[in-house]
Amino acid sequence: INPNSPAIGLIYKWNKTPRHSWRFSYIQSKIVAKDTDSKEIGRKLRGFEFQNNIKELTGGIEFNFFNFDINNPLERRFTPYVFTGLSLSFYDSLFFKYGHAEFDSKEKTIALPIILGVKSNLTSNFVLGLEIGARFTFADDLDGSFPKNENWQPLKFGNLNNKDWYVFSGITMTYTFGNKPCFCAE
């Protein structure tokens, strides 16, 4: 939620109606965490830290809470929105050895993104958005707490009953191109 590394990506949307769009994206970033930044004494004393590179391909549906037809350039549009779908995330499997994060292998996992945002048209072609999105993964080794490699299983720590999450927050700028859509019944 509190960004500590830059991310970059591309988004493609197909505005099917003024209320929903099909959305596809690619995002890459580095996730970073340090126990010394924690408010919990136990984590501060442990002193672990890690960084991991995430590359994510996502597809899903974006739902606008209000009609968002930006084809009238004289009319300012604004809407909150929610997005969900499926992500395929590529990352490095990590483990901790002597207090330092070590690389084990290249991995991939399915993630479920839940994104909340607001957007407004700047012109008839440009839309500015602000969003925050949590991703629930089906992996538990993004932070090195649960190594996949059986040789490193004795080094596992933390809450072993849940999987890892990561969050991207950011600003989006989209450009609308193509013919003016007809949102009529087919």
Side-chain angles (χ1 to χ4, degrees):
I1 295 173
N2 184 15
N4 59 7
S5 296
I8 189 164
L10 297 170
I11 296 174
Y12 175 81
K13 293 182 192 180
W14 177 34
N15 298 319
K16 183 69 175 152
T17 73
R19 293 300 286 268
H20 84 277
S21 304
W22 296 108
R23 174 174 160 166
F24 304 92
S25 65
Y26 170 81
I27 300 174
Q28 69 179 40
S29 183
K30 179 170 47 174
I31 56 174
V32 177
K34 297 179 181 179
D35 282 349
T36 55
D37 294 339
S38 176
K39 293 179 183 171
E40 295 180 27
I41 302 282
R43 287 187 181 174
K44 281 186 182 252
L45 291 173
R46 181 176 64 189
F48 285 2
E49 63 182 70
F50 80 93
Q51 60 182 356
N52 204 337
N53 295 311
I54 301 281
K55 296 177 180 163
E56 173 189 275
L57 292 169
T58 302
I61 190 167
E62 182 176 293
F63 175 78
N64 300 319
F65 287 92
F66 308 126
N67 279 344
F68 195 73
D69 181 5
I70 61 170
N71 290 302
N72 182 352
L74 302 176
E75 194 173 332
R76 172 85 59 209
R77 294 286 184 180
F78 169 85
T79 186
Y81 63 90
V82 64
F83 169 83
T84 192
L86 279 176
S87 296
L88 181 59
S89 302
F90 301 89
Y91 66 98
D92 295 335
S93 179
L94 302 175
F95 67 95
F96 277 89
K97 186 175 179 183
Y98 307 117
H100 298 287
E102 302 283 339
F103 170 81
D104 187 24
S105 62
K106 295 280 187 192
E107 296 291 336
K108 61 182 172 270
T109 185
I110 299 292
L112 303 174
I114 304 161
I115 299 173
L116 300 173
V118 293
K119 62 184 174 182
S120 179
N121 61 320
L122 300 176
T123 67
S124 62
N125 292 93
F126 285 100
V127 176
L128 182 67
L130 179 64
E131 64 182 37
I132 182 167
R135 278 77 167 165
F136 170 77
T137 71
F138 289 92
D140 204 12
D141 56 342
L142 294 175
D143 59 358
S145 64
F146 199 107
K148 283 193 177 187
N149 187 323
E150 288 185 20
N151 296 330
W152 308 118
Q153 288 288 311
L155 302 175
K156 62 187 173 188
F157 64 92
N159 185 349
L160 306 176
N161 295 318
N162 66 6
K163 302 294 184 187
D164 290 337
W165 291 73
Y166 62 93
V167 176
F168 287 142
S169 304
I171 297 170
T172 63
M173 175 70 76
T174 54
Y175 176 78
T176 304
F177 58 90
N179 297 330
K180 181 178 176 179
C182 174
F183 298 123
C184 4
E186 295 179 36

